[in-house]
Amino acid sequence: MSWLENLKIAAVALWANWLRSVLTMLGLIIGVGSVVLIVAIGVGTQKFVKDQFRSFGTNVVVVSEDRPPDGLTQNTDRRIKPLTVEDMEALRTQIGAISRASGILSENGRVVWNNKDADGRIYGMEPELARILNWSIRKGRFFTDQEVQQRARVAVLGEEIADELFGAEQPVGKQILVNGRTMTVIGVLEKRSGAFRGYLQFLERGAIMPFTVVEESLIANVTPFGRRVRIIFLETKPGETIEAVTFQVTNLLRARHQITAEDDFFVGNAQEILNVFNAIAAGLTVMLGLIAAIALLVGGINIMNIMLVSVTERTREIGLRKALGASEGVILAQFVIEAVLISVLGGLIGLGLGWGTAALVGALSPIKPEVTPMAVFLAVGVATGIGLFFGVFPARRAARLDPIVALRTE
Amino acid sequence: MLIRLENIRKSYKLGNNEVPVLRGIDLDIDSGEYVAIMGPSGSGKSTLMNIIGCLDRPTSGNYYLNGNNVATLDRKALAQIRNREIGFVFQQFNLMARSDALENVMLPALYAGTPAKERKVRATELLERVGLAAQIQQRPNQLSGGQQQRVAIARALMNRPSILLADEPTGALDTRTGEEVLALFEELNAEGITVLVITHDQEVGNRARRLVRLRDGLLETETSQVMSAQ
């Protein structure tokens, strides 16, 4: 008796009671579907983050202030010095491995147009950063390096502040007052949605201007130590290792800030951040995958239960088959194949469902889940394994039935 | 000799007691015979049929089928004998409800490993032989009782068994269709097939050429009906 014939018998048996077959599969469908979805989202997230960091380059070192949240200062001896434009200049000029330094200046500001005014925040930076941080422009354009050098009086507005001031009017080309100085609006940033909105939300009420222009007028953020910079990006020269540059930056800043104990700044690089993120994402994927594996296990037990019921219900059929000459091996194969078929079908439906949901997630969020061939293979493989494992017990019970007793069953 | 039973005994354990059902049966059946085994309920005729049909094994004694002692064979070998040597006909027809007549008839050949094409040709021939050429693709629930029993007989003949073993074959049929089935048995027997019918119905028993009576696990009398049948 061939596999194909056995498969046909199994298919007929499953089709004869299709609703039950679907219900039998349900646990497995959910299990396989969630494994596929979770792994796809895990892979997609890692890819998304990698893309976010790609423009960053692995030759960029980031320096930011590292201060405890307000009111949560644990170490009162710790004197926090801000990062300043002077720090940035020192890093650029004193460390030979650094080719370029750029930072973000910021202060509170009042933006006025046509007798309407709005509170916002002023950011000074170089266009490079907009590219690194992956901002997109809804209208107009970003300012250029040339405009930074020429101290051009131009501004790019966050969407929220632009809407508040201009409403339905076209902001690009209009003259506005930023803290009393006249600027020309050249662009409006696009509002982000989804998972990474929070990370760029601060820009929604921002007026972004050339670093040099903000530097001239910085008032509030002039500290006793100098003009405060929120974050400094350092680009290393080709051939320099990122670790060496990180080490030199740390040492120089410690000297400048006269650190004796804890650093009041943080030096990081894209690769480090990416590694940490990947570790977290991988850990989460494994954990969620384990939870989904429990669903798979429950699905398998469900299949075993229903197969046992099915064997009991079909006792007479089994008895008849045996009387007609089916050996124990043939009956065993029939029920195992039935269990495997139901599992594989469940696995495929689960795969389709997981894939579909992954595609839906991809359509609605910036993360593009990716169903890898490995996940497909695993899902179908695991489903087959479950069918085999949980199908053998009911099948053995069927195979061992005494044909006399089985035939007498009503 | 097709079937030789030598001192076949069968007992079942009931608690600590051994309850004897068959108490030493000796019976020879030649190829081409038409034998009826009759007896009241509890006489052991079902047990005897199960043993002859290789569905069960005797507690002691020898059972030779075509000269081979089957009393000692393992379950797999018994399955093979049921498949090749014995064609069962049951009181309740026992057809596969989800399969049509043709598929039902082909089933034993499926277990014998006969190629699909050959299966189909033979099953079609058999269905024609039992007068169901037009019902080949009908399912059991579309067939009358008599038609279902004829499908079951065609199925029993599928693997060219040595013996057709029928357990109360007319028990679920009305007199007229029962008569049709018995007529078919006679025809088949005339063609050389050995027929063994187990029944408690005297009229069915009288149709056989040889009648064996069973009472309390022992063969009672044996009547040759060859003359009366002719």
Side-chain angles (χ1 to χ4, degrees):
Chain A
M1 189 161 167
S2 76
W3 284 98
L4 205 67
E5 280 157 347
N6 245 328
L7 202 63
K8 199 184 154 200
I9 290 175
V12 168
L14 294 186
W15 181 246
N17 215 333
W18 65 269
L19 182 64
R20 171 194 279 184
S21 302
V22 171
L23 289 174
T24 309
M25 291 176 205
L26 202 58
L28 202 65
I29 290 174
I30 293 170
V32 169
S34 40
V35 167
V36 168
L37 181 64
I38 286 164
V39 172
I41 288 180
V43 171
T45 307
Q46 292 194 16
K47 234 181 188 162
F48 175 75
V49 172
K50 210 173 192 170
D51 282 346
Q52 293 283 308
F53 278 95
R54 180 169 294 148
S55 48
F56 236 84
T58 42
N59 62 335
V60 174
V61 174
V62 185
V63 186
S64 62
E65 289 175 5
D66 184 19
R67 52 175 67 216
D70 292 341
L72 281 176
T73 313
Q74 290 148 331
N75 184 353
T76 46
D77 288 343
R78 191 174 163 196
R79 301 239 165 76
I80 311 279
K81 296 198 181 78
L83 280 177
T84 61
V85 175
E86 288 72 23
D87 284 334
M88 188 167 87
E89 283 305 304
L91 290 168
R92 188 173 64 82
T93 53
Q94 291 173 34
I95 298 175
I98 290 172
S99 60
R100 191 177 162 153
S102 97
I104 299 179
L105 299 171
S106 81
E107 66 179 336
N108 289 328
R110 168 155 293 225
V111 184
V112 181
W113 178 72
N114 200 14
N115 295 328
K116 276 190 275 187
D117 64 345
D119 287 324
R121 211 161 163 81
I122 297 165
Y123 297 98
M125 63 183 73
E126 289 173 62
E128 180 73 4
L129 281 184
R131 196 179 61 72
I132 288 175
L133 297 175
N134 211 7
W135 298 343
S136 46
I137 295 280
R138 193 183 68 179
K139 291 175 200 151
R141 61 178 180 88
F142 214 82
F143 46 80
T144 62
D145 284 320
Q146 216 178 3
E147 284 169 316
V148 175
Q149 276 171 20
Q150 293 167 353
R151 297 172 189 256
R153 300 276 179 120
V154 292
V156 174
L157 294 180
E159 189 172 40
E160 195 179 312
I161 202 165
D163 286 348
E164 195 174 315
L165 285 176
F166 292 96
E169 287 213 53
Q170 168 63 262
V172 176
K174 299 281 180 342
Q175 306 279 313
I176 54 170
L177 288 175
V178 180
N179 282 355
R181 294 201 293 171
T182 305
M183 303 282 160
T184 306
V185 178
I186 58 167
V188 177
L189 284 178
E190 184 152 38
K191 195 169 183 168
R192 286 300 194 89
S193 58
F196 276 68
R197 181 181 171 226
Y199 147 72
L200 291 172
Q201 202 174 0
F202 69 95
L203 289 172
E204 287 168 15
R205 293 201 63 82
I208 299 143
M209 303 185 313
F211 186 87
T212 47
V213 176
V214 178
E215 199 182 14
E216 291 171 347
S217 65
L218 216 56
I219 307 153
N221 283 308
V222 176
T223 67
F225 306 97
R227 291 161 299 170
R228 186 170 168 198
V229 186
R230 293 290 153 167
I231 191 163
I232 300 171
F233 293 85
L234 302 168
E235 212 173 309
T236 60
K237 284 179 180 161
E240 302 288 345
T241 67
I242 206 89
E243 290 82 8
V245 174
T246 304
F247 180 72
Q248 291 178 60
V249 168
T250 308
N251 277 344
L252 182 61
L253 283 176
R254 279 182 184 160
R256 288 183 57 84
H257 288 203
Q258 291 149 346
I259 303 285
T260 52
E262 268 181 289
D263 289 346
D264 58 6
F265 57 89
F266 169 81
V267 184
N269 58 59
Q271 196 53 52
E272 242 169 55
I273 299 168
L274 196 59
N275 288 346
V276 170
F277 190 89
N278 276 345
I280 294 170
L284 269 177
T285 305
V286 167
M287 196 189 81
L288 291 171
L290 279 177
I291 293 171
I294 293 171
L296 276 179
L297 185 73
V298 173
I301 291 170
N302 189 31
I303 286 178
M304 181 167 70
N305 278 339
I306 307 224
M307 288 301 292
L308 280 171
V309 172
S310 170
V311 167
T312 307
E313 275 184 1
R314 285 153 68 189
T315 299
R316 198 179 168 85
E317 177 199 321
I318 295 161
L320 174 66
R321 287 181 186 274
K322 287 189 130 184
L324 296 181
S327 64
E328 290 188 9
V330 166
I331 300 288
L332 185 81
Q334 182 192 332
F335 279 88
V336 168
I337 285 175
E338 213 173 295
V340 169
L341 182 66
I342 212 167
S343 308
V344 169
L345 279 177
L348 288 175
I349 295 173
L351 176 65
L353 218 65
W355 206 322
T357 315
L360 197 70
V361 169
L364 297 178
S365 85
I367 292 169
K368 305 294 168 214
E370 199 169 306
V371 179
T372 57
M374 185 66 191
V376 174
F377 178 78
L378 220 68
V380 177
V382 165
T384 312
I386 281 176
L388 269 175
F389 185 81
F390 288 104
V392 162
F393 177 60
R396 278 172 75 98
R397 181 172 279 193
R400 294 273 171 86
L401 279 176
D402 182 346
I404 302 168
V405 177
L407 271 172
R408 224 180 279 144
T409 311
E410 285 305 319
Chain B
M1 196 62 61
L2 179 62
I3 290 174
R4 162 160 286 177
L5 300 179
E6 288 179 354
N7 197 22
I8 292 287
R9 290 170 184 272
K10 180 76 183 179
S11 52
Y12 293 101
K13 273 209 170 86
L14 210 74
N16 287 330
N17 299 330
E18 290 268 321
V19 179
V21 180
L22 297 178
R23 300 187 296 167
I25 305 280
D26 293 294
L27 180 65
D28 288 347
I29 296 173
D30 256 327
S31 186
E33 280 199 87
Y34 182 171
V35 183
I37 297 177
M38 283 194 69
S41 321
S43 60
K45 62 183 194 301
S46 289
T47 304
L48 184 59
M49 190 207 79
N50 288 337
I51 288 172
I52 294 174
C54 292
L55 289 164
D56 202 354
R57 275 179 290 196
T59 312
S60 67
N62 292 315
Y63 168 20
Y64 297 94
L65 182 61
N66 281 322
N68 302 311
N69 191 352
V70 298
T72 53
L73 294 176
D74 65 11
R75 291 195 297 261
K76 188 171 181 179
L78 290 178
Q80 199 164 10
I81 287 177
R82 290 195 296 270
N83 187 227
R84 311 279 168 101
E85 302 292 337
I86 295 159
F88 285 96
V89 176
F90 303 94
Q91 180 174 1
Q92 296 298 336
F93 326 134
N94 280 351
L95 298 177
M96 296 283 174
R98 296 188 297 264
S99 307
D100 64 24
L102 187 69
E103 287 165 340
N104 265 290
V105 175
M106 290 194 299
L107 193 58
L110 192 68
Y111 294 134
T114 312
K117 205 166 179 181
E118 204 181 312
R119 273 193 328 244
K120 198 165 182 179
V121 170
R122 166 118 181 111
T124 310
E125 279 171 13
L126 283 169
L127 282 167
E128 283 165 3
R129 170 69 190 80
V130 299
L132 293 174
Q135 284 80 17
I136 272 180
Q137 290 193 323
Q138 291 187 0
R139 293 193 179 193
N141 60 9
Q142 297 167 298
L143 297 171
S144 71
Q147 287 173 325
Q148 289 187 56
Q149 194 60 302
R150 279 186 280 160
V151 172
I153 292 166
R155 179 179 65 188
L157 297 172
M158 186 64 196
N159 286 346
R160 297 184 171 84
S162 307
I163 181 165
L164 193 67
L165 193 56
D167 182 12
E168 301 283 5
T170 60
L173 301 174
D174 60 44
T175 316
R176 195 179 58 79
T177 47
E179 176 56 39
E180 282 172 22
V181 166
L182 292 175
L184 185 57
F185 280 170
E186 273 159 23
E187 278 175 50
L188 292 168
N189 180 241
E191 287 168 23
I193 294 164
T194 312
V195 180
L196 179 54
V197 178
I198 281 107
T199 184
H200 67 274
D201 183 337
Q202 186 64 53
E203 279 188 40
V204 175
N206 286 340
R207 298 289 291 267
R209 287 197 281 171
R210 182 178 160 199
L211 182 63
V212 176
R213 284 186 191 277
L214 198 61
R215 184 176 288 276
D216 298 330
L218 285 168
L219 288 183
E220 206 173 43
T221 51
E222 192 165 328
T223 329
S224 179
Q225 303 186 116
V226 179
M227 300 311 287
S228 61
Q230 287 170 345

